[in-house]
Every structure is written in structure tokens, then in C-alpha cells.
Amino acid sequence: MVEHRGLGRVVPYIILTLGVAIVAFPVYLCFVGSTHPQEITANGQMPLTPGPIFFETYYKTLFVGSSGSTREPVATMLVNSFIMACTIALGKIAISIISAFAVVYFKFPLRMAAFWLIFITLMLPVEVRIYPTYKIAADLNLLDSYAGLTIPLIASATATLFFRQFFLTIPDELVEASKLDGAGPLRFFWDTVLPLSRTNIAALFVILFIYGWNQYLWPILITTRDDMQTIVIGIKKMIVTADALTEWNVVLATAMLAMLPPVMVVVLMQRWFVKGLVETEK
Amino acid sequence: MATVELTNIKKIYAGGVEAVRDVSLTVPNGSFTVLLGPSGCGKSTLLRMIAGLETITSGTCKIGERVVNEIEPADRDIAMVFQNYALYPHMSVYDNMAYGLRNRGMPKPEIDKRVREAAVLLAIEEYLTRKPRALSGGQRQRVAMGRAIVREPQVFLFDEPLSNLDAKLRVTMRLEIKRLHNRLNATSIFVTHDQVEAMTLADQVVVMNSGRIEQIGAPGEVYKHPASRFVASFIGSPAMNLMTGKIVEPGVVETPGGKLPFDAKRFSASGEVEVGIRPEDIHTASSGGTSFTPELVEELGATRLLHGNFGSTPIIVAIPASGTVHENKEMRLSIDAQAVQLFDKATGRSLAR
């Protein structure tokens, strides 16, 4: 029995360690590669220990840029990506919380029609409607602008659904108590619905921030200027296929940097995130 | 304080369901009126129409001198206590009580004064900074009442406020509501399906059934002189014994349990009737009276319930738990003429003059 218990305790750790290794090793390799001169990586002789040029590489990546392809330093890309991800996340939350509020708490003609229209957009992500969306963005002079990067990605059904489901769990008596307490719809929204949705908003922010950060297809279409580039596209552009050498250390450093903000968001907001998805505060 | 006057109130839902059919009711100033009935009888709907949470299909609702049919709930000068408390979970107890006053733009010192007074009255001063989730059910219910009290409304509305509490707490809170009413003397309308709550709290009981009022009266009146078979069977525990009968001569009705005398001055009846006798109005007798064989005896401590039959009609007899009663052994029962109730066989209405 005792041996069994000992083994029972060890086995899960072994499995977990294996899992962590499988996930973490490529990231570690990426980091190692970013600290060695590019020839070493290009030769395919990837060492397993960090190399000598950590500071040079990261300084060059952040503030100078890769000479071969994009002329923009990664700092600009980080800022662009950050603005895009934040705007998409906050925009989606703002729009969907308001539309969910309308659909749940107001009785108006075609209410369910409105809800189903929103619902249908689930089946129409940007990839499906890319040509018309691009045409509209171009006609509105939104190319190479933050507005063009974000607005077409903001309209979102998932978040509306999420909030609708949450609002349906708020007891009707709370609405009625608010009415008796002299709170109109806006006040009810501001004083009751919004504070109760805090954890849900946090959880959605995490999901949507990562969604926004990882956008690839739309930014590659809508931006042409280097200073509007996002980091995900920056990585792709740095990998040169012809004529020039790919600066692998810079590419891998950029990949490391691209990983940092989403990781930070998840780590910092994890407590809220779990709370928002699991717990309902009523 | 104000009188609430309902005239020919009807509520028909969009699907055509009639929840309240033609109800007229006066709740006198300062009274404690209880709307009592089984679930689905329209009592809550009626209360919610007075509150303004449901529209009134037809009829008028007056609070004080004002017809309030078209007035917003917040402007009706009423306060409501909900069954599940409906406290704002993210606000402290203090804020829960102050919220309605703030929305009305009351000056801060006045709000503070009222909240603290109500907190003292309800003995919740020490919880003012807590969130509702840190309170027990009884404490939450007090906060909900506090939120109503600070408003100093003309009418208090209670929508089954004790249903979510456990049995013991329910008794305590019932007493507290009674005490509070005696102290504030505010017009109160209280909805419940619990007859004990109704009997103990009310000055005026309104018994409702399928959207109509069956009887309005003081608790004792409703108990002693039920206006219909429904009221007779709904009020009282165990329920009133009902059996068919036939008037054989003035003041005597023939039932499966033999000929029983009744108060001919109170009832004008002839032919086939429905006879009602409360279990507690039947007594044991040494001789004479009606023959009865208890098939089952239930001991309730102070009283004892005997289950048996008059002919094929099941009968319950409640007697004090003294002496011994043997199951399946014939005994004699006497029934007080004053206790016999007669109802019309077809309509179920009382045949009292």
C-alpha cells in the first residue's frame, strides 16, 4: 500500500513534467537561438545553452530592426499589436455588452430577429467576408490605419452570446427592485449590470486580447506601410527566402517578444479569468 | 399612509390566460392585509399590479387619492420586499438601503439618518458594511425590509417574503414583521400561500382562488364562517371535513354520519347540500351522538388525529391527546350544531343568510 501510494504520487508528477517539457522546450530553443549569431542557427547546429549575444540581439530587435527585410524596429510593431489587440478586445466587450443588454432587458419588435442576426455573424468571420470587407475598408480610406485594423474585427457574436447568457442568470427581481428604487435602464446598467459583470469582462478581455494579438490575415491585407505592421506579420516578413540572409537571432527574439504580452495578460488576469468563467456572483 | 383601492381589476396575459378576473378590494389605511391562496391563484400578479411591475389590463388601482394605473413603479410611493430578497449583491448592506434614496436625490445626511434608524430597528447595525453574501437568510430578509422601511412609503408590499427561510426562522421573522407593523402602522399588503402566516399576521385576509376573491374578512371570520367550500377546505389544518347531506327538517341535516343538527337561524337551506365540519369541532361523547370507528390514530403531541369514515366519506377528528383511543374500536362522537357549515352543492358558496 505504502509503495503504491508513493508511486501514485510520483506518476502524476512525471506526466506533468513531460507535458511541461514538451510545451516548454521549443520556447526554450527559441530563446537559445535568439542569443546566438545567425550563422549558427542557419547551419542547423542549434546549441542547447544560451549564447553570448543576448543584449545585442534584443537591443537590435527592439530599437533598430532587421536590416534585410522590415526596416522597422520591433518596438513599433509591439505598440501596433498592443493597440490593435486592446482596441479589438475593449471594442468587442463594449459593443457586445450593450447589445446583450438590449436583447435581454428590452422588449421591442424584432428583438429575437436582432438576436439571431447577431448570432448568424458567428458563421461569418473575417476570412469568409474578406473581399467585401476589404473593399469597404478601402473605400472608407481605412487602409494603413488603426481604425482599419480593428473595426472590421470588432463586431462579434461570441461575446454578445456570452453576456446574454450571463444576464439571463441575473434574477428578474433585481431588475424589479431597481425599478422600485427609481433606477432607469441606464442607471440599472451602470449601477448593477456592469459591476456584476466585472469578472466576466475580465475573462473575455483575456480571450479577446489573445484573439486580437494573433490576428494575421486581416492585418496583412489592410496594412502596407512598415510603421503600421503588427508583430505577427513582422516575424513573417523577417524570414527572407531569396537574396538576403535571414537574421535568425532577430527573428527568434521577435518571436519571444511577441509571446510576452499575451503571457503577461494571462498570468496577471488568471484569477479573474477563472472566476469569470466558473463562478457567478449573485 | 394611504388606502389602496382596487376596482374591477383584470389581468389577461398576451396568451389569453386570465390571471386575475374582476377583483375589487379595499385595503384600509394602516391595515395589514394578506392575500392568501394556492399557487397560481393570481395573488402575486395582483400584488405586482399594485407595485406597477405588471400592467393592469382593465380596472383602476388607487393608492391614496391617486389613480396609479399609468404611474411608474418608482413614483407610486410604495416599497416591496421580494421572496428571494433581491439585494444588490455587489453593494454593501448600507448601500443596498441607501440606493433608492440616492436615486431620488435625497440629501446625504438625511439618507444616513434613515439608514441608521432602520438598521437599529432591525438590529442589523453591525452588518452595515458587509456584502449580502456574507449574511444569513434571515439577515438578508431584514436588509430587504430595511430597504423598504427607509423609503417611508405609503404602502408596503410583501411578496412571499418568508418562503425562502427555514421553518424556525420563519416563525421568528413572522413575529418580527407583526411587531414592525404594530410599530410603523403602515398599510401593508402581504402575499402568501401559508395560512398560518395569513392568520397570524393579518387584520384582513383575502382568500383568492383562480383569479377571483373567495372571501374577505378578519382571520377569525374566515376560519369560523367560510364563505365557500374552497375557503373552508383551504383554511384550517387538517382541512375541514366535507360530506354530502340532505335537509330533512328545519335545523336537521341527514349525513353519512347520521342526522346532525345545524343552526337554522344562520343557514337557509333545503334539499341536497354540502356539509362541512372542522375536525376540531368534533368531540368524543360517552353515549349517544354519532358512531365512529377510527382506523388510524396520529399523535401530534397536544392533539390527536383520528382518521375514519362516515359511510364512505373519509373523516378526520381532532381531539385533545388525553386518555387512550383504540384503533378499530367503535366510539361515540358529538358535533356542535354551531359548528356545522352548509354549502350549496352546485356553486360551493356558503348557504349562510
Side-chain angles (χ1 to χ4, degrees):
Chain A
M1 268 313 273
V2 175
E3 282 95 343
H4 228 94
R5 191 181 283 172
L7 198 66
R9 208 163 29 199
V10 169
V11 168
Y13 277 105
I14 295 175
I15 295 174
L16 282 174
T17 313
L18 269 175
V20 169
I22 290 170
V23 174
F25 186 65
V27 178
Y28 175 72
L29 262 195
C30 183
F31 172 73
V32 169
S34 72
T35 58
H36 285 283
Q38 49 120 338
E39 310 89 60
I40 292 181
T41 315
N43 281 344
Q45 301 166 327
M46 181 69 96
L48 285 175
T49 47
I53 56 164
F54 173 81
F55 288 105
E56 292 99 299
T57 308
Y58 281 84
Y59 178 81
K60 189 184 175 199
T61 310
L62 271 174
F63 304 109
V64 182
S66 139
S67 50
S69 52
T70 54
R71 290 152 297 275
E72 279 305 315
V74 170
T76 318
M77 298 181 198
L78 274 174
V79 169
N80 286 342
S81 275
F82 192 76
I83 290 174
M84 177 176 77
C86 279
T87 314
I88 289 176
L90 295 176
K92 269 183 188 261
I93 288 169
I95 285 194
S96 51
I97 199 168
I98 294 169
S99 50
F101 184 68
V103 166
V104 173
Y105 289 106
F106 291 87
K107 288 198 173 67
F108 51 90
L110 300 179
R111 178 171 75 130
M112 281 326 275
F115 174 69
W116 284 109
L117 274 178
I118 295 172
F119 191 85
I120 284 172
T121 61
L122 261 186
M123 287 163 240
L124 299 170
V126 174
E127 289 79 0
V128 177
R129 53 186 162 88
I130 201 144
Y131 177 70
T133 310
Y134 183 84
K135 169 87 173 115
I136 291 169
D139 287 352
L140 291 173
N141 284 325
L142 293 179
L143 301 183
D144 277 324
S145 71
Y146 288 125
L149 263 179
T150 54
I151 291 172
L153 293 171
I154 281 177
S156 153
T158 31
T160 311
L161 277 178
F162 184 71
F163 280 121
R164 175 180 179 265
Q165 290 316 110
F166 171 66
F167 290 169
L168 290 177
T169 67
I170 296 180
D172 285 344
E173 279 88 347
L174 225 48
V175 186
E176 291 169 351
S178 292
K179 274 188 197 164
L180 287 166
D181 272 339
L186 278 180
R187 198 164 232 166
F188 172 65
F189 179 75
W190 198 253
D191 288 346
T192 304
V193 171
L194 216 49
L196 286 179
S197 310
R198 270 188 319 215
T199 49
N200 295 57
I201 291 173
L204 260 186
F205 182 82
V206 173
I207 296 171
L208 295 176
F209 181 87
I210 292 167
Y211 165 85
W213 187 268
N214 288 342
Q215 280 304 312
Y216 180 74
L217 183 61
W218 184 249
I220 213 168
L221 277 176
I222 202 90
T223 59
T224 48
R225 278 191 357 237
D226 286 338
D227 64 339
M228 283 305 296
Q229 236 162 206
T230 63
I231 194 160
V232 178
I233 292 162
I235 298 174
K236 169 72 184 71
K237 283 199 181 166
M238 281 176 200
I239 303 170
V240 194
T241 44
D243 295 341
L245 278 171
T246 301
E247 291 178 86
W248 283 109
N249 53 339
V250 175
V251 172
L252 294 174
T254 311
M256 289 305 291
L257 289 170
M259 238 181 304
L260 274 182
V263 168
M264 294 292 284
V265 166
V266 171
V267 168
L268 291 178
M269 297 183 80
Q270 193 185 27
R271 201 169 59 88
W272 288 79
F273 178 74
V274 174
K275 233 179 155 184
L277 292 184
V278 176
E279 188 185 279
T280 45
E281 189 187 6
K282 275 192 297 289
Chain B
M1 304 307 116
T3 304
V4 178
E5 239 184 294
L6 307 176
T7 321
N8 302 112
I9 294 275
K10 277 185 197 164
K11 175 73 191 182
I12 301 167
Y13 282 108
V17 180
E18 275 186 90
V20 174
R21 321 170 186 212
D22 203 11
V23 163
S24 296
L25 169 68
T26 304
V27 178
N29 189 4
S31 86
F32 199 111
T33 294
V34 173
L35 304 181
L36 174 67
S39 53
C41 72
K43 56 190 192 302
S44 276
T45 311
L46 194 61
L47 189 83
R48 293 165 57 80
M49 283 196 281
I50 299 170
L53 298 172
E54 300 270 357
T55 54
I56 297 171
T57 310
S58 72
T60 53
C61 173
K62 262 172 90 175
I63 296 175
E65 288 308 302
R66 203 159 55 129
V67 174
V68 295
N69 282 33
E70 303 296 327
I71 293 176
E72 286 293 315
D75 303 325
R76 289 189 181 197
D77 209 359
I78 47 157
M80 188 156 167
V81 178
F82 294 89
Q83 180 178 349
N84 64 4
Y85 327 122
L87 299 175
Y88 306 111
H90 56 291
M91 295 186 198
S92 68
V93 167
Y94 185 98
D95 290 335
N96 260 288
M97 296 208 271
Y99 184 60
L101 304 179
R102 286 191 194 130
N103 285 346
R104 284 177 173 73
M106 187 180 279
K108 262 202 170 138
E110 173 71 13
I111 296 179
D112 193 63
K113 193 178 133 252
R114 286 196 189 187
V115 171
R116 293 200 186 276
E117 273 174 16
V120 171
L121 190 66
L122 294 162
I124 48 172
E125 306 114 287
E126 50 199 300
Y127 311 124
L128 281 178
T129 52
R130 288 208 201 161
K131 293 273 171 67
R133 70 165 167 270
L135 301 179
S136 69
Q139 289 163 344
R140 287 183 205 185
Q141 195 52 272
R142 277 165 215 258
V143 177
M145 291 204 292
R147 185 165 66 179
I149 290 170
V150 294
R151 296 261 312 277
E152 298 179 3
Q154 292 203 312
V155 182
F156 283 100
L157 306 175
F158 296 89
D159 190 3
E160 309 210 17
L162 305 180
S163 309
N164 276 14
L165 303 176
D166 63 59
K168 205 173 153 196
L169 207 53
R170 212 177 295 166
V171 176
T172 334
M173 288 306 286
R174 200 172 73 204
L175 281 171
E176 223 148 285
I177 291 180
K178 180 104 186 164
R179 213 168 280 147
L180 208 63
H181 179 253
N182 289 344
R183 183 151 173 185
L184 300 172
N185 244 321
T187 311
S188 306
I189 305 177
F190 188 105
V191 162
T192 182
H193 58 260
D194 183 322
Q195 47 165 313
V196 181
E197 276 171 30
M199 301 298 270
T200 50
L201 286 169
D203 307 326
Q204 173 177 264
V205 178
V206 178
V207 185
M208 291 185 68
N209 183 30
S210 53
R212 284 197 189 84
I213 291 180
E214 292 273 339
Q215 185 172 6
I216 303 175
E221 178 71 17
V222 174
Y223 176 78
K224 278 192 212 112
H225 304 304
S228 69
R229 193 170 48 200
F230 174 80
V231 178
S233 59
F234 191 75
I235 291 186
S237 171
M240 185 182 268
N241 296 304
L242 290 168
M243 60 202 107
T244 53
K246 196 175 170 193
I247 310 293
V248 284
E249 56 187 277
V252 180
V253 59
E254 164 108 58
T255 70
K259 286 185 183 172
L260 298 177
F262 68 88
D263 186 355
K265 284 197 217 83
R266 247 191 86 209
F267 294 98
S268 74
S270 62
E272 299 262 306
V273 292
E274 185 116 27
V275 183
I277 307 157
R278 292 215 176 270
E280 50 274 32
D281 288 331
I282 308 178
H283 309 288
T284 47
S286 43
S287 61
T290 310
S291 148
F292 180 72
T293 311
E295 287 166 2
L296 209 70
V297 179
E298 283 183 300
E299 294 288 349
L300 297 183
T303 53
R304 179 178 283 161
L305 299 183
L306 315 179
H307 296 262
N309 293 301
F310 279 176
S312 61
T313 315
I315 294 293
I316 302 174
V317 178
I319 55 170
S322 56
T324 49
V325 172
H326 297 287
E327 289 180 2
N328 297 319
K329 192 174 163 214
E330 194 191 344
M331 56 192 290
R332 312 301 295 180
L333 298 176
S334 75
I335 293 159
D336 187 4
Q338 293 298 322
V340 175
Q341 307 284 337
L342 299 181
F343 303 101
D344 189 296
K345 233 180 139 80
T347 63
R349 301 302 299 175
S350 171
L351 292 167
R353 287 175 209 272

